[in-house]
Amino acid sequence: MAIRYDESTRTFHLQSGNVSYVMQIVKDGYLAHLYWGSRIRGTAIHDMMPKSFRPSFNPNPFPEDETFSLDTLPQEYPGYGTSDFRSPAYQVRLANGTTIAEFKVTGHRIVPGKPALEGLPAVYAENDGEAETLEIELEDAAAKLKLIASYTAFRNSDAIARSAKLVNLGGEPVRVQRLLSASVDLPHSRFDAVHLWGTWARERHLARRALMPGVQAIESRRGSSSHQHNPFFAVVSPDANEDHGEVYAMNLVYSGSFLAQAEVDQFASTRLSIGLNPFDFEWLLESGQSLQSPEAVLVFSREGLGGMSRTFHKLYRTRLCRGAFRDKERPILINNWEATYFDFDSEKLLRIVSAAKELGLELFVLDDGWFGQRNDDKRSLGDWFVNTDKLPEGLDGLAAKVNEQGLSFGLWVEPEMISPDSDLYRAHPDWCLHVPDHRRTLARTQLILDFSRQDVRDYIVERLTAIFSSAPISYVKWDMNRNMTEIGSALLPPERQRETAHRYMLGLYEVLEKITSSFPDILFESCSGGGGRFDPGMLYYMPQTWTSDDTDAIERLKIQYGTSLVYPVSSMGSHVSAVPNHQVHRITSLTTRGHVAMSGNFGYELDLSKLADEEKAEIARQVAEYKEIRGLVQQGDFYRLLSPFEGNETAWQFVSEDKAEAYAIYVRTLAIPNGPLGRLRLKGLDPDKTYALRGTDRVYGGDELMHAGLPLPVLEGDFRSLAFYFTEAK
């Protein structure tokens, strides 16, 4: 059994893969946290509660026991106002105006498998034998509220999935002001905090610093998971590196505003929590209704950040992503955006397609500018009708010509947005997010459609269904190019206006579920100005995400390295673009651009028809090489070897599940005169296997490659790269 309950000691012991997670019911119903870490037998787990003492200034719920205080008790889902002064997991305002609620355990059940979360994305089990779920019921009888805390343990994963659902059992409405997904009290604060931060074109850079007393938090208040902070937060032992040390990590399966934090209290314990951002949030919970939190995925690793990453990767690749493309190799594409921007017609597009055919590419993607009067980024979002001036044969006619060249056809859309200069806005000016008597702030000359409204969602589903049915479309890039301002809805009453942002996300998930279910043979890729919504919530509907609008190979080293901390390579869109690069104006070799882009879902974003013969030859070589290794890259185990955040070199590696193949990329950023002669140590190989280096007559032992390392040649010039492809020597 993955989950056990000991009635005599009132302990819950979850065993998920190589991890144990233990809770205990104490006193008259408080749910306490005992342990989260490496798998243990649990012989005396009930005796792990910290010893009681009598701290001054700590209130005591039980006058007869002055050693018991909620302010020192490690808790599973803590509240505020009844003697715990730390950050709460929930806050409610009752009908009488008070904000005091206190939940105590009233029962539990253990069910096979993993129930779905209604209306929300979540990891899943394909059969009941893969997982067990514990649902602990807690109630506040006076407030007439019930809380269901859910925990899923997996037989073959070191992850635990957590969520919470609040139910109003009373006759009066309750205002929910905070409902986090997970909270864990760890017994000390000897940790570093690790998270991912950035901005547009510089997403998911790695940040690490020692925990200090007080609250250390990251958040998004932007209505999306954001370029600035990713909904991931970890605390790690100070000695933790890629291969060793303890890691406690949380990742939120949600695409909207979030909060993640660690609070170090007066006794140097650490409260780690994550969930919906309570800032500007409130939910009116009517009698008999419930509010479900998004899911948080918790991962513990004793094998450092690399072990944590591989746990996230495998779980997300196989039990978060869904659909026909979950396990399929992804096509090599050419996107016309940086080749043409808005200035194109069928003839120009087909020249690119013809060149793509010659070079062995598999998919042509028509980006922005094919609809309405969309000749720039200032108009026509919402007018999802083909611009026949540019495409007189329509999407169907263009797709047919692309198919005749042997390529599949893909399309860009931005369905969540509306331009003030559009027929849709002129017909429905109240369909955007806005508040009365205030300006409607533009970003990229566009507003956001109010997906909290059913009529808006129905219209978008209708138009997208018509478009995707009109032509043989095999790929869709779903973009979203601004964050929320003036967050209000014309249809919600005043008491529900602070629900708008979350209702928007629930509405978006409803639309995505309908569209992706209706078109199961389309490969959907999400995008938000690149990586502004790279999160598990979107991966549930779309198995890959455009990693960043910054396609510069050197910038992408940090972006892709940081993204890999949580998200599998199969989820990363990565393309070769022209030089000088359009974002940073850097010139790098086509070889280096190819090596970095091949470390993801590979493609090109330039005008293939204008390349020199030697460039076309190099692209043909890259395409052929990627076709040989893409199964390994997209489905293999990923190892980070050298960090771009720590030096002048970056390296990473892919290893097949049977350890018979390995592919490594090495990039040296700047040339160094009389530089060191280096070796590249590989990881994850079988020490007893012998490996042949493709393209040479050299063979190496797996033990030699991992412990002695591979000698690196002397490289001349800046921005140089190498690729090494090993196969087992029979």
Side-chain angles (χ1 to χ4, degrees):
M1 295 290 288
I3 300 175
R4 299 195 303 268
Y5 177 65
D6 187 329
E7 183 72 44
S8 64
T9 60
R10 300 202 295 175
T11 55
F12 299 98
H13 187 173
L14 288 70
Q15 292 180 324
S16 192
N18 299 306
V19 167
S20 282
Y21 191 102
V22 186
M23 299 167 281
Q24 185 175 31
I25 304 170
V26 299
K27 290 293 186 180
D28 63 345
Y30 295 105
L31 186 61
H33 177 79
L34 292 188
Y35 176 78
W36 177 25
S38 295
R39 185 166 178 152
I40 55 178
R41 289 176 295 156
T43 305
I45 192 70
H46 60 279
D47 199 35
M48 289 190 177
M49 182 65 66
K51 300 306 177 185
S52 300
F53 66 107
R54 183 184 175 185
S56 298
F57 262 76
N58 288 91
N60 310 112
F62 302 97
E64 70 279 6
D65 184 359
E66 295 185 350
T67 66
F68 183 87
S69 173
L70 295 179
D71 206 32
T72 60
L73 182 71
Q75 296 179 68
E76 277 297 311
Y77 205 74
Y80 175 82
T82 61
S83 74
D84 186 348
F85 297 101
R86 295 167 291 179
S87 298
Y90 66 90
Q91 287 178 300
V92 296
R93 183 156 65 93
L94 305 178
N96 62 12
T98 63
T99 57
I100 301 301
E102 186 173 55
F103 289 103
K104 297 181 181 180
V105 177
T106 57
H108 75 274
R109 68 180 189 134
I110 300 171
V111 298
K114 185 176 186 297
L117 298 188
E118 184 177 357
L120 284 165
V123 296
Y124 58 88
E126 285 199 331
N127 59 71
D128 287 348
E130 289 186 349
E132 282 187 329
T133 298
L134 168 65
E135 296 179 346
I136 303 177
E137 292 191 356
L138 305 95
E139 288 191 22
D140 183 328
K144 296 182 174 59
L145 291 172
K146 178 169 71 173
L147 182 81
I148 301 173
S150 295
Y151 301 76
T152 296
F154 301 90
R155 293 195 182 278
N156 299 311
S157 176
D158 295 348
I160 290 172
R162 283 191 60 178
S163 65
K165 181 164 71 172
L166 190 63
V167 184
N168 185 355
L169 302 175
E172 299 290 335
V174 172
R175 295 181 182 272
V176 183
Q177 298 174 320
R178 186 184 189 100
L179 190 71
L180 299 188
S181 299
S183 179
V184 178
D185 288 345
L186 301 174
H188 64 85
S189 60
R190 297 183 299 276
F191 294 115
D192 290 349
V194 175
H195 60 94
L196 301 170
W197 75 286
T199 184
W200 175 80
R202 188 165 41 82
E203 298 92 340
R204 288 173 302 287
H205 280 208
L206 181 64
R208 179 169 177 168
R209 65 185 187 275
L211 283 188
M212 300 291 289
V215 175
Q216 290 108 108
I218 61 168
E219 62 180 336
S220 169
R221 297 185 295 271
R222 297 170 180 265
S224 72
S225 49
S226 84
H227 297 84
Q228 286 68 30
H229 294 287
N230 197 262
F232 160 81
F233 197 86
V235 293
V236 306
S237 56
D239 65 339
N241 56 26
E242 275 296 311
D243 306 302
H244 307 287
E246 294 186 337
V247 178
Y248 300 84
M250 292 181 171
N251 192 208
L252 190 66
V253 187
Y254 188 64
S255 310
S257 298
F258 73 92
L259 172 69
Q261 65 179 38
E263 180 180 10
V264 177
D265 69 9
Q266 59 192 320
F267 301 109
S269 64
T270 301
R271 176 165 288 176
L272 189 63
S273 55
I274 195 167
L276 289 171
N277 198 331
F279 176 83
D280 200 35
F281 169 82
E282 186 175 78
W283 193 274
L284 184 64
L285 195 62
E286 300 281 2
S287 175
Q289 292 184 345
S290 62
L291 177 62
Q292 173 69 56
S293 81
E295 182 169 87
V297 177
L298 281 60
V299 169
F300 171 80
S301 168
R302 288 191 68 87
E303 298 176 348
L305 291 166
M308 175 208 72
S309 296
R310 286 184 288 279
T311 296
F312 275 122
H313 292 179
K314 186 172 183 180
L315 182 67
Y316 287 175
R317 192 173 64 240
T318 64
R319 294 298 181 268
L320 175 68
C321 296
R322 304 177 298 162
F325 288 91
R326 187 190 73 176
D327 303 318
K328 280 186 180 180
E329 293 183 355
R330 313 288 168 77
I332 304 172
L333 65 82
I334 173 67
N335 184 299
N336 73 295
W337 177 241
E338 290 193 12
T340 67
Y341 293 104
F342 295 101
D343 182 18
F344 63 82
D345 55 23
S346 296
E347 183 179 348
K348 184 181 290 189
L349 297 177
L350 290 172
R351 283 199 298 269
I352 296 173
V353 171
S354 178
K357 175 190 177 182
E358 294 177 10
L359 301 176
L361 278 74
E362 300 161 324
L363 168 66
F364 170 75
V365 179
L366 175 58
D367 210 281
D368 197 356
W370 59 267
F371 56 92
Q373 301 301 312
R374 187 74 166 172
N375 297 313
D376 53 41
D377 64 0
K378 303 183 186 304
R379 71 199 78 242
S380 292
L381 284 173
D383 297 342
W384 298 109
F385 300 89
V386 178
N387 183 331
T388 54
D389 291 335
K390 288 184 177 180
L391 306 175
E393 68 276 71
L395 291 179
D396 188 37
L398 177 63
K401 293 178 180 178
V402 171
N403 293 163
E404 287 172 4
Q405 295 289 324
L407 277 72
S408 300
F409 179 72
L411 192 66
W412 176 97
V413 293
E414 193 174 3
E416 299 167 65
M417 300 295 139
I418 184 170
S419 302
D421 184 3
S422 67
D423 293 340
L424 184 65
Y425 187 83
R426 285 184 280 271
H428 300 284
D430 63 329
W431 274 18
C432 66
L433 293 178
H434 68 282
V435 296
D437 305 320
H438 284 77
R439 74 167 183 273
R440 302 182 180 190
T441 303
L442 298 179
R444 206 170 180 249
T445 325
Q446 61 197 51
L447 298 165
I448 303 178
L449 283 171
D450 182 1
F451 269 45
S452 74
R453 295 176 56 143
Q454 189 67 55
D455 52 354
V456 171
R457 300 197 299 272
D458 290 345
Y459 173 81
I460 290 299
V461 170
E462 176 190 340
R463 288 308 313 144
L464 293 182
T465 299
I467 292 164
F468 298 161
S469 301
S470 70
I473 296 170
S474 65
Y475 165 100
V476 166
K477 181 177 180 180
W478 182 298
D479 211 344
M480 189 279 286
N481 277 312
R482 62 156 295 177
N483 294 137
M484 293 182 183
T485 58
E486 293 84 48
I487 305 175
S489 173
L491 290 190
L492 290 177
E495 64 272 17
R496 291 193 178 274
Q497 285 297 321
R498 295 179 78 186
E499 300 174 10
T500 303
H502 184 50
R503 285 186 178 275
Y504 179 100
M505 291 313 310
L506 297 177
L508 173 62
Y509 292 148
E510 176 191 302
V511 169
L512 295 179
E513 183 68 32
K514 288 180 178 179
I515 291 295
T516 57
S517 298
S518 297
F519 297 93
D521 296 324
I522 291 179
L523 170 59
F524 286 89
E525 177 176 279
S526 68
C527 177
S528 177
R533 208 162 58 182
F534 204 130
D535 58 67
M538 294 305 293
L539 289 181
Y540 181 75
Y541 302 98
M542 303 183 180
Q544 61 189 60
T545 299
W546 181 227
T547 313
S548 176
D549 279 348
D550 191 337
T551 52
D552 173 68
I554 303 307
E555 283 296 309
R556 274 296 189 108
L557 295 175
K558 289 183 177 179
I559 293 169
Q560 292 176 202
Y561 189 100
T563 303
S564 77
L565 206 66
V566 189
Y567 303 105
V569 169
S570 62
S571 68
M572 294 188 217
S574 187
H575 299 171
V576 173
S577 61
V579 292
N581 176 264
H582 290 197
Q583 289 78 41
V584 299
H585 309 291
R586 181 182 284 121
I587 296 176
T588 54
S589 71
L590 186 54
T591 298
T592 297
R593 283 177 277 157
H595 284 155
V596 175
M598 283 193 288
S599 301
N601 294 319
F602 188 42
Y604 292 85
E605 202 145 333
L606 43 74
D607 193 339
L608 296 172
S609 67
K610 295 181 178 179
L611 299 180
D613 288 344
E614 61 270 21
E615 292 175 309
K616 290 183 178 180
E618 171 63 14
I619 288 177
R621 187 200 65 76
Q622 291 176 357
V623 169
E625 180 177 344
Y626 190 74
K627 287 178 180 178
E628 192 171 7
I629 64 163
R630 68 174 149 191
L632 174 61
V633 168
Q634 294 171 7
Q635 302 293 330
D637 291 332
F638 183 74
Y639 292 85
R640 293 178 292 269
L641 307 180
L642 296 170
S643 171
F645 297 101
E646 297 176 2
N648 194 40
E649 301 168 295
T650 302
W652 48 56
Q653 177 191 353
F654 308 90
V655 181
S656 63
E657 187 175 359
D658 62 3
K659 300 186 183 299
E661 291 182 275
Y663 185 76
I665 295 292
Y666 168 86
V667 181
R668 201 272 317 280
T669 302
L670 296 178
I672 300 175
N674 294 313
L677 301 176
R679 290 174 177 264
L680 182 65
R681 288 187 178 184
L682 304 187
K683 297 178 183 179
L685 303 178
D686 185 334
D688 298 322
K689 289 185 186 295
T690 301
Y691 294 90
L693 177 58
R694 184 68 63 90
T696 74
D697 58 359
R698 286 173 284 172
V699 294
Y700 303 86
D703 53 351
E704 296 168 332
L705 290 170
M706 291 190 291
H707 302 309
L710 186 71
L712 293 170
V714 175
L715 298 175
E716 296 182 357
D718 296 338
F719 318 131
R720 295 293 307 279
S721 67
L722 299 166
F724 305 95
Y725 183 27
F726 294 91
T727 56
E728 184 179 359
K730 302 296 185 183

